[in-house]
Amino acid sequence: MGRATQPFGPQWLTSRLADLLPGFPDVRLVVAFSGGVDSTALLAALAASGQKGLRVRAVHVNHGLHPNAVKWSEHCRALARERGVRLEVLAAKVARSAGVSLEAAARDARYGLLARSLEAGEFLLTAHHEDDQLETVLLQLFRGAGIAGLAAMPDIAPFAGGWLARPLLSRSRAELEEWVRAAGLRWVDDDSNTDETLDRNYLRRQVVPLVRQRWQGVGSAVSRSARHAAEGQRLLDMIARSDVERASSGAGLFVPALRALQPDRRRNALRFWIARSGARAPDTSRLEELAGPVIDARPDASPRVVWGDVEVRRHADVLSINSTADRDARRGGDVRQGGAARRATDAPAIDWPWRSAPLLELPDAGGALELKPDAHGPIDLDTLPAAVTVRYRQGGERLRPRRGGPRRTLKSLLQESQLPIGERARLPLVFSGATLLTAGSLWVDESIQVTPGTLHRGRLVHRPHAPGR
């Protein structure tokens, strides 16, 4: 994607989308609309394109963090109404955890809402532009990021049940503002963008203008470097995917298979596995601990590494990744449920039409199962039968958790995992006829595991009820 020579406007935007989106213009688009100048340019140019076949809607997230947040939402409603675009306003609950900035927490909340609002096959469009890309690469460089960080923001990537596309990455902020002004449009000015205690704002207001004075083409040059880094990262991901698939033990990793890898390749595989789980990436020291002492520890040592709300633990020869919040909820549930857990084998099988009802509430305080579209999920949704049943352990269950590996008894897998006895009894099992497909979210049978040609991936999430529920 070289520097655009055609002026920004509806014609350029539709041409760019045609290059970027498969099936354009017969696509469904969702614009992430903040009301700022960048997303205003994107939404207004799209609405003015007159492109036949386009189906466009917009989503605005109200974070509730600014006194003018409600006014901004009303501004977005009015502008979308004027342009004939349906707008949905979503209210975010921004919860900060230890070590996470307010900006990062707001971003996580925003993208969580956008992901839940996106329907299968839709393209989410964001208004990130060339200046954003330059700032992102510099921030990642200053933070000591690896190739994945320096690749910054891709033009298009899988997101939730659809795709996330950034069609404006070759356009500068100045170009977009010039077009919006010429169109006589108003936009929201967030005064927090002037707060230079925030790293990105300091870069934007103090550093980047000086850099541009010296190197006028720096925006497109850095974007080109980011694309080179992205290409390198794709190659690393191909290697990591192969290594992780060979080491897979259900949702976990078989430690001897990791130990057989060279240290740099082992770290690459662990990074990929953690990212695929949806967890936040660890810092360098924790990744080194995982790739070294945890892998080299005795099988009975049960070492673990924790960062934020993520925990990677080794049980015997299997690494597993969990949320510490989910772990604490499960422990509370064991104590509270007591005899109910021991009676789980008496529960009848439950028919689950997961395509029409992806969330299944389990009886007897068993929590819930949810099958979620996930671009990094281990389940091939196209091979998962539409008619499945859910029940608890009866004994004798087997599945093949590693592609090309042996069939394993569920009993032996559970013993190796050192899962508490109470949790074993409450582990929901998904069957197709007599074939065991998944054991909770821990192990997935080879028959429904993803392959390089998988188009629709998903993840099974088991949510035990929290104490007191």
Side-chain angles (χ1 to χ4, degrees), residues 243-398:
D243 289 339
V244 166
E245 287 177 355
R246 281 197 295 269
S248 288
S249 178
L253 293 179
F254 192 50
V255 169
L258 290 174
R259 193 181 292 125
L261 299 173
Q262 293 293 326
D264 53 354
R265 193 158 168 173
R266 187 186 306 167
R267 289 191 295 271
N268 186 49
L270 286 167
R271 271 194 219 97
F272 181 85
W273 174 64
I274 293 166
R276 192 170 70 173
S277 77
R280 189 181 296 275
D283 59 30
T284 300
S285 63
R286 286 176 173 83
L287 184 64
E288 291 284 357
E289 187 176 356
L290 281 174
V294 170
I295 297 298
D296 295 334
R298 300 189 319 273
D300 61 347
S302 295
R304 68 184 186 122
V305 177
V306 178
W307 64 96
D309 62 351
V310 182
E311 174 191 76
V312 172
R313 180 183 288 272
R314 178 176 168 185
H315 297 292
D317 272 335
V318 176
L319 280 186
S320 62
I321 187 166
N322 300 285
S323 161
T324 55
D326 289 347
R327 179 202 64 197
D328 294 341
R330 287 198 300 271
R331 286 178 177 171
D334 284 342
V335 174
R336 184 180 60 83
Q337 291 162 11
R342 290 191 292 273
R343 293 194 300 272
T345 56
D346 299 330
I350 307 165
D351 292 328
W352 185 18
W354 61 270
R355 291 189 186 278
S356 58
L359 180 66
L360 175 68
E361 290 286 344
L362 299 172
D364 300 325
L369 277 178
E370 185 176 8
L371 195 56
K372 304 173 65 175
D374 185 331
H376 301 293
I379 297 174
D380 185 333
L381 297 179
D382 293 326
T383 61
L384 179 65
V388 298
T389 58
V390 179
R391 64 173 173 81
Y392 296 103
R393 291 182 64 203
Q394 304 292 324
E397 296 89 356
R398 290 174 174 268

Side-chain angles (χ1 to χ4, degrees), residues 102 122 132 192 287 325 348-349:
L102 182 60
E122 285 188 321
D132 293 322
S192 67
L287 184 64

Side-chain angles (χ1 to χ4, degrees), residues 46-98:
L46 196 58
S49 68
Q51 180 70 56
K52 293 181 179 180
L54 274 185
R55 287 162 288 176
V56 183
R57 65 185 181 93
V59 176
H60 171 77
V61 176
N62 178 357
H63 299 90
L65 299 176
H66 194 282
N68 292 329
V70 174
K71 291 182 180 179
W72 293 345
S73 297
E74 291 306 314
H75 166 85
C76 290
R77 288 185 197 275
L79 193 145
R81 189 165 51 247
E82 291 169 4
R83 302 286 146 175
V85 176
R86 177 169 62 91
L87 176 74
E88 181 181 12
V89 176
L90 304 175
K93 293 183 178 178
V94 180
R96 294 177 64 182
S97 55

